């Protein structure tokens, strides 16, 4: 059984490295999206392997909502310094200040959707023709429709009915002027694969993935971390819980899970027994039945 898992992970690793190398060779100005979450960390680790002993030949691009978990930003900066990668950060706050995006109001306000505007502006500014992301097909039904090389039109929009076949892993990066591609090296990975690979490769990750004590607000069945970015309703109370986060995003829409898992082995055991997907802890996916697909069509990852 152990040998089976090892072979499976090495096959996924080889596939992802192939996709990353194809993106680097077929496009003039690729970039790798980095959020500080486990998937982007694994993708960065794979990029280092793909070009070792040279450094990663393209920049890491982080779209910062300004509402990130502090632990994520600290980890990002330490990791970039450790591996010697180039980091480019673009801020949603700048888009708001320029009038390009409008801040949401109310207790459920989030900047998560505003990332799309900042991302598209950054891709145009930097002339990125291939943006690599850590999305996986098992995460959500809209992401299951993606190809490794996912075409975007001149407006940065995605048409799930107008994607290119990828028979025999032949990846087609041809495009017209102004168009670009989103590239997903981890497409065939599952959440379990990611955690097992992190364990196998001993990859450092932010400490909020592990069990810890935190002040929590219970809202609509979700456990939101107390922060200055969340307006507390009159009937809500702040409680201290032992929690961890299965996914990391904007603090205003990323929920925690009650969990005692304080090691990678315990996390793997917990995921194996879970009947809720990791995106089930994200309130931004629950705004409508097609929330993710609508955002992807508009240019979101």
């Amino acid at each position: 059984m152990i040998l089976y898992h090892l072979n499976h992970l090495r096959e996924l690793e080889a596939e992802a490295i192939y996709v990353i190398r194809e993106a680097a060779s077929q496009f003039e100005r690729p970039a790798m999206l980095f959020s500080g979450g486990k998937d982007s960390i694994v993708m960065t680790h794979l990029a280092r392997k793909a070009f070792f002993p040279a450094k990663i030949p393209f920049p890491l691009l982080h779209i910062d909502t300004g509402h990130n978990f502090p632990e994520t930003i600290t980890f990002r900066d330490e990791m970039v310094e450790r591996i010697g990668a180039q980091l480019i950060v673009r801020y949603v706050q700048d888009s708001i200040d320029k009038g390009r995006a409008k801040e949401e109001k109310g207790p459920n306000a989030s900047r998560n959707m505003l990332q799309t505007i900042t991302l598209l502006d950054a891709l145009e500014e930097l002339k990125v023709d291939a943006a690599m992301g850590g999305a996986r097909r098992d995460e959500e039904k809209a992401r299951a429709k993606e190809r490794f090389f996912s075409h975007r039109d001149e407006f940065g929009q995605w048409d799930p009915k107008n994607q290119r076949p990828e028979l025999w892993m032949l990846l087609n990066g041809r495009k017209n002027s102004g168009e670009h591609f989103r590239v997903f090296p981890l497409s065939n990975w599952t959440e379990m694969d990611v955690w097992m690979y992190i364990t196998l490769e001993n990859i450092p990750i932010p400490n909020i993935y592990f069990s810890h004590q935190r002040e929590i607000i219970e809202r609509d069945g979700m456990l939101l971390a107390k922060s200055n970015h969340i307006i507390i309703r009159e009937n809500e109370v702040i409680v201290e819980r032992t929690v961890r986060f299965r996914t990391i995003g904007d603090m205003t829409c990323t929920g925690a899970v009650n969990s005692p898992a304080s090691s990678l082995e315990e996390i793997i055991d917990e995921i194996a027994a879970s009947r809720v997907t990791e995106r089930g802890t994200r309130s931004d996916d629950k705004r409508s039945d097609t929330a993710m697909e609508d955002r992807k069509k508009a240019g979101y990852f």
Side-chain angles (χ1 to χ4, degrees):
M1 183 64 72
I2 294 176
L3 180 60
Y4 165 79
H5 287 306
L6 178 60
N7 290 341
H8 173 67
L9 292 174
R10 291 307 181 200
E11 288 174 2
L12 289 173
E13 177 189 66
E15 179 184 73
I17 287 175
Y18 168 76
V19 174
I20 291 170
R21 286 174 175 166
E22 280 292 298
S25 66
Q26 290 196 39
F27 299 100
E28 295 181 4
R29 298 179 68 89
M32 182 166 281
L33 273 290
F34 186 84
S35 67
K38 65 183 183 308
D39 300 312
S40 63
I41 292 169
V42 165
M43 190 169 58
T44 304
H45 179 82
L46 290 164
R48 293 181 69 196
K49 278 198 163 190
F51 303 104
F52 184 83
K55 292 184 178 180
I56 299 174
F58 39 74
L60 305 182
L61 174 61
H62 183 206
I63 305 301
D64 190 340
T65 66
H67 294 172
N68 297 95
F69 289 90
E71 297 95 330
T72 305
I73 301 301
T74 299
F75 179 90
R76 178 199 71 185
D77 294 341
E78 291 175 350
M79 189 204 78
V80 167
E81 182 177 359
R82 183 178 73 253
I83 68 176
Q86 178 189 1
L87 174 68
I88 299 174
V89 184
R90 291 295 180 265
Y91 299 92
V92 170
Q93 185 62 54
D94 290 340
S95 298
I96 295 171
D97 293 342
K98 294 174 184 176
R100 291 281 295 144
K102 185 177 180 181
E103 188 91 78
E104 292 184 356
K105 304 296 182 182
N108 291 324
S110 173
R111 289 185 173 181
N112 204 55
M113 293 185 67
L114 305 186
Q115 292 181 85
T116 299
I117 297 169
T118 309
L119 171 61
L120 292 176
D121 286 350
L123 297 181
E124 182 177 4
E125 171 203 348
L126 301 169
K127 295 181 172 56
V128 172
D129 54 0
M132 286 172 265
R136 310 185 320 269
R137 293 187 181 121
D138 78 314
E139 289 181 279
E140 203 274 341
K141 57 188 178 182
R143 286 182 166 170
K145 300 177 182 179
E146 292 280 18
R147 305 291 174 88
F148 285 111
F149 277 19
S150 184
H151 176 262
R152 296 301 195 270
D153 65 18
E154 64 271 25
F155 302 106
Q157 297 180 335
W158 173 65
D159 180 0
K161 297 180 180 179
N162 186 28
Q163 296 298 312
R164 299 171 182 180
E166 293 178 340
L167 305 176
W168 306 290
M169 285 297 290
L170 296 176
L171 306 180
N172 184 351
R174 295 179 182 177
K175 60 181 181 57
N176 296 317
S177 177
E179 299 174 346
H180 73 275
F181 277 81
R182 305 290 171 84
V183 178
F184 301 105
L186 305 185
S187 289
N188 288 333
W189 295 53
T190 65
E191 182 186 11
M192 180 65 79
D193 293 329
V194 170
W195 282 113
M196 293 185 71
Y197 188 74
I198 288 171
T199 304
L200 175 67
E201 294 284 298
N202 194 28
I203 302 172
I205 56 174
N207 56 18
I208 60 174
Y209 277 116
F210 299 101
S211 176
H212 60 284
Q213 293 291 118
R214 201 177 198 102
E215 290 186 312
I216 293 294
I217 303 163
E218 295 189 44
R219 175 177 297 175
D220 302 327
M222 296 191 63
L223 306 178
L224 298 175
K226 176 193 172 186
S227 76
N228 296 330
H229 312 306
I230 297 178
I231 299 174
I232 301 176
R233 300 170 181 170
E234 290 185 3
N235 63 334
E236 292 177 333
V237 295
I238 299 172
V239 296
E240 190 166 283
R241 293 279 188 86
T242 301
V243 300
R244 72 175 192 86
F245 292 86
R246 288 179 68 183
T247 178
I248 296 178
D250 192 296
M251 293 186 73
T252 60
C253 61
T254 304
V257 293
N258 292 307
S259 171
S262 58
S263 68
L264 291 173
E265 290 75 16
E266 289 175 346
I267 289 174
I268 289 172
D269 289 342
E270 183 179 272
I271 293 170
S274 177
R275 294 297 176 265
V276 178
T277 68
E278 61 192 300
R279 296 293 305 191
T281 63
R282 297 287 292 267
S283 63
D284 50 325
D285 288 352
K286 300 178 181 180
R287 292 193 172 192
S288 73
D289 290 340
T290 59
M292 174 63 80
E293 183 154 337
D294 293 341
R295 281 180 289 151
K296 287 179 70 64
K297 287 179 179 178
Y300 184 76
F301 251 89

